[in-house]
Every structure is written in structure tokens, then in C-alpha cells.
Amino acid sequence: MQRFTIPRDLYFGDNAMEHLESVKGSKAFIVYGSHRLESDGVIAKIQEHLKKANIESATFSGVEQDPSVATVREGVRRMNEFQPDLIIGIGGGSPIDAAKAMWIFYEHPDFTFEEAAKPFNLPELRNKARFIAISTTSGTATEVTSFSVITDNETGIKYPIADYNITPDVAILDTTLVESMPKNLVANTGMDALTHALEAYVSNAANPFTDALAMRSLEMICKNLVASYNGNMEARKNMHLAQNLAGMAFSNAILGIAHSMAHKSGAILKVPHGLANAIYLPNTVAFNSKTAGERYAEIAQRVGLEGSTQQELVDALVQLIKDMRKAMNMSASLKEFGIEENDFMSKVDEMAKTAVADPCTSTNPREISVEEMKKLYLAAYYGEDIHF
């Protein structure tokens, strides 16, 4: 038996945040990272909407790029003082991930991060609060997923939390919030979304529901991402919806080895997540095509690529990924990004070993060895095409 879980309600379009004027509750705790949301007036607008619903609000700001255990604990302490019945996470992946974790320990103070990191091991939530997620970037889709990643900065341990309990109750996609995204963020988050959709479609846990979402997302991303990067606002708004479709797909079908690789190099080499995916994706598609070639060929045909054989269609898809990356001025290799060769070589064995053990590898359509994973990393460092 399989399961498919998404938020109960999703509000989208220009000024979708106005939905907050009709939510039920008495106290809302707003979690965010960037102070830009204050200077842009976004936080004040949220509080104004909540006030119209007779909801008192408190704010928690400064969530870091990789949310930490310490930040989560401080947020829980503040929640315990305020006693909210609504938790609102707003921003990119980091503040929403942090808010999800705060929610867990606000409701279950005796629970531990070690217990939370066991897949699908969370106790029931929604005893004290419901969760609303508002995304301001177009890539992570954490506003509709059952995942959160928290880092203990003292030990270096990352706690990946995966449980349908932390799927938000409500997701809000206000397309006015992405109009001012900087171009490098458009590129990185957009390629992350592309990787989400591609990997969900070929995942060994894919199903007809995730297929429909992933394929529509791929069509929209291939049509709109580069235009969004070049400043087309209609395309940018379409990308905000497309990344959400990809999120609903991968939250249920999980991902593959491009993400396994990106998770490890992000932690060890400090490569931005979306850029890492953009670098790894062409070769991981080529690697997986030995077992998922038919699925990749379906994607290529749906996005309008030409080819008379399955291999020609796969090759065309790989080339499209490279062309999109180039059109957005993204590095084509880890070396081009600026990683020193000695630094990379000293860490590649560890990254290959831990990437094979990453949870995303278990749903990749083709099994992979540590040796093969190392070859993929080496090819990504030098910008080479590789064939197995």
C-alpha cells in the first residue's frame, strides 16, 4: 500500500496572503530568516492580515541558512512563552524547516532530535497548533513537503526529519513575493526544482499521482525558468507554481542520487544546493538512463525535444539541462565554481561513501556503488561527461 499526502489547502496567485484574514485562531507565531522581509514590509503585512482575523502575533527572526538545533530550541522557548495555536513559517527552505522542527518540540517537549531523525517516527501533531507555510523562493517547496533538516553546529550532525505529520496544513504561494528575487537565486532554486521533478518522475517510489505532478512541473519549468531568470515576471510567477508541483511530487516519491550528491557536497564543500544539483544532474541522468531510459524519453518528448530513438531523446534531455545551466550563467563544474583540487580530492572518498548511504539513494532508479559515486563526483569536478 502506498500513501500520498499534501497540505489540506493551498492558496496561490497574486496577494494570496490575504487568506490570513480568514484563518481561525487566537495567537500566531511567525518564523522567518531574512530581515529583508521586515524592510520590504512583508512581515508587517502578515501581521496586518492576522489582525483583521482578530489574531495576535509574535515574531521570531534570524533563522540561519542551515537552521540549527540552538535556533530551534530558542524558538521553542519563545513559543512556550507565547502559546500560539498557529505557527507560520515564511521564507525559503531554512525558516520553514526551522518552524516545522519548532512545532514538533513545542507540542512534544520531551521528544529528542535523535528520535525525530528516525523516518516516520514523529508523534501526532496538531494538539496545540496548526501550521501555515508561506514560500518566498521558487525551489525547495518545503511549504508542501514532509521534510525538515536541522544541524547541530556543536557536533556537526545533521538531523533529517521525514514524517507526514510535518506536512503543513496550509501552503500559501503569493506570487507577488517572488518578483524581487535576485537572478542567482532564481537560477539556483529553479534548477533545484527541475531536479526535484526529474528525480521524482524516475524514482522507484513514483506513482500515478506523483507522475502527473512531476510531469506538469517539468513542462512548466522547461518553458519558464530561463525567461524567469531574464526578468519575465509572468514566467517567474509560473515558476513559483511549478516548483510547488515538483514539491508535492517528491515529498511522496522522494528523490535520487543528484540530491544525494548535493546533500554531501553542500555540507562538506559549501556548494549552494541548487547549483550542485545543476552540476550533477546531466551525468546522473546519463547514469540512470540504463534503467530509467524510457521514463527520461517520456520527459524529453513532453517538453518538445526531438529524437527518433530512446537514446537520442535521453541525450537531448541531458543537453537541455546543460543549455539551461549555461543560459543562466551557472558554473558547469565544481572546479569552475572555485573548489580547490586538493581540497576536493581530500574529501571525495568521504562524500562518495556518505552519498551512497543518503536516504535519497534508496529511491534512485539504478543501484550505485561507492566506486561509481566517486566517478560521478570526479566527472562533476572536472566538468566531464561520463558513461557507465
Side-chain angles (χ1 to χ4, degrees):
M1 180 175 67
Q2 292 178 277
R3 177 175 174 176
F4 181 80
T5 301
I6 56 176
R8 178 171 178 169
D9 292 301
L10 195 156
Y11 295 86
F12 60 95
D14 287 354
N15 304 310
M17 281 199 305
E18 291 177 358
H19 166 67
L20 295 173
E21 296 179 10
S22 61
V23 299
K24 306 298 182 185
S26 59
K27 290 185 174 183
F29 191 81
I30 306 166
V31 179
Y32 57 102
S34 172
H35 291 292
R36 179 181 61 82
L37 294 176
E38 297 172 355
S39 58
D40 288 354
V42 174
I43 300 302
K45 189 177 292 185
I46 289 174
Q47 292 184 296
E48 182 181 330
H49 290 318
L50 291 169
K51 190 174 182 181
K52 291 181 179 178
N54 295 313
I55 296 173
E56 181 185 354
S57 61
T59 62
F60 182 93
S61 63
V63 176
E64 59 271 70
Q65 189 65 37
D66 290 304
S68 66
V69 167
T71 294
V72 170
R73 286 179 173 153
E74 176 59 17
V76 173
R77 185 190 69 79
R78 294 269 301 278
M79 281 185 186
N80 286 330
E81 290 179 350
F82 187 62
Q83 289 293 303
D85 53 7
L86 287 173
I87 298 168
I88 300 174
I90 178 169
S94 296
I96 297 176
D97 275 12
K100 288 177 177 178
M102 293 173 191
W103 185 25
I104 295 167
F105 299 107
Y106 169 57
E107 298 223 1
H108 299 280
D110 296 328
F111 209 61
T112 67
F113 276 95
E114 289 73 20
E115 290 173 310
K118 296 176 184 176
F120 303 96
N121 187 52
L122 294 182
E124 289 296 319
L125 299 178
R126 298 167 178 82
N127 301 305
K128 297 172 69 174
R130 290 178 299 115
F131 194 95
I132 298 173
I134 306 173
S135 178
T136 62
T137 62
S138 301
T140 67
T142 192
E143 74 275 4
V144 292
T145 74
S146 55
F147 306 117
S148 170
V149 180
I150 307 298
T151 302
D152 188 329
N153 290 336
E154 294 183 5
T155 64
I157 295 173
K158 281 186 177 287
Y159 294 103
I161 304 170
D163 195 291
Y164 291 122
N165 265 296
I166 57 170
T167 304
D169 297 287
V170 176
I172 295 177
L173 295 172
D174 191 323
T175 45
T176 63
L177 295 177
V178 296
E179 292 177 346
S180 61
M181 281 176 64
K183 294 181 76 169
N184 69 317
L185 189 60
V186 171
N188 286 345
T189 57
M191 291 303 281
D192 189 22
L194 175 67
T195 310
H196 288 157
L198 271 172
E199 293 199 313
Y201 194 75
V202 301
S203 163
N204 59 33
N207 61 61
F209 301 99
T210 61
D211 283 354
L213 291 161
M215 186 62 86
R216 182 57 180 150
S217 176
L218 286 162
E219 291 174 339
M220 293 178 70
I221 292 170
C222 291
K223 181 178 179 180
N224 290 284
L225 178 52
V226 174
S228 172
Y229 176 83
N230 288 326
N232 182 307
M233 285 301 123
E234 190 63 30
R236 188 160 301 177
K237 292 176 181 183
N238 286 335
M239 275 300 303
H240 203 42
L241 304 185
Q243 64 87 30
N244 184 273
L245 297 174
M248 290 189 282
F250 90 78
S251 184
N252 290 275
I254 318 302
L255 294 163
I257 55 173
H259 267 83
S260 300
M261 296 174 72
H263 290 155
K264 305 316 166 189
S265 60
I268 295 175
L269 298 177
K270 309 302 181 187
V271 183
H273 180 71
L275 173 61
N277 278 320
I279 292 172
Y280 301 142
L281 192 56
N283 275 333
T284 61
V285 169
F287 176 84
N288 286 333
S289 66
K290 300 299 180 184
T291 55
E294 183 178 350
R295 302 282 278 177
Y296 287 127
E298 289 173 4
I299 294 169
Q301 289 174 321
R302 285 290 288 271
V303 300
L305 301 180
E306 295 183 357
S308 57
T309 66
Q310 179 175 295
Q311 188 59 54
E312 287 179 357
L313 287 165
V314 172
D315 291 344
L317 181 61
V318 169
Q319 189 59 49
L320 175 64
I321 297 165
K322 293 179 179 179
D323 290 345
M324 292 172 71
R325 188 175 65 191
K326 184 177 181 180
M328 295 185 290
N329 300 303
M330 302 178 81
S331 299
S333 68
L334 297 175
K335 185 175 183 179
E336 184 181 335
F337 175 65
I339 303 297
E340 293 292 335
E341 188 170 18
N342 289 341
D343 187 33
F344 172 79
M345 288 300 182
S346 69
K347 294 170 179 174
V348 66
D349 287 327
E350 177 190 355
M351 291 192 301
K353 182 179 178 181
T354 55
V356 169
D358 189 272
C360 291
T361 302
S362 65
T363 47
N364 194 68
R366 181 182 175 187
E367 291 188 3
I368 187 168
S369 67
V370 173
E371 181 182 358
E372 289 168 329
M373 187 71 81
K374 182 177 178 179
K375 287 181 180 178
L376 285 173
Y377 271 123
L378 289 169
Y381 182 78
Y382 294 109
E384 299 171 345
D385 293 331
I386 191 167
H387 303 282
F388 289 87

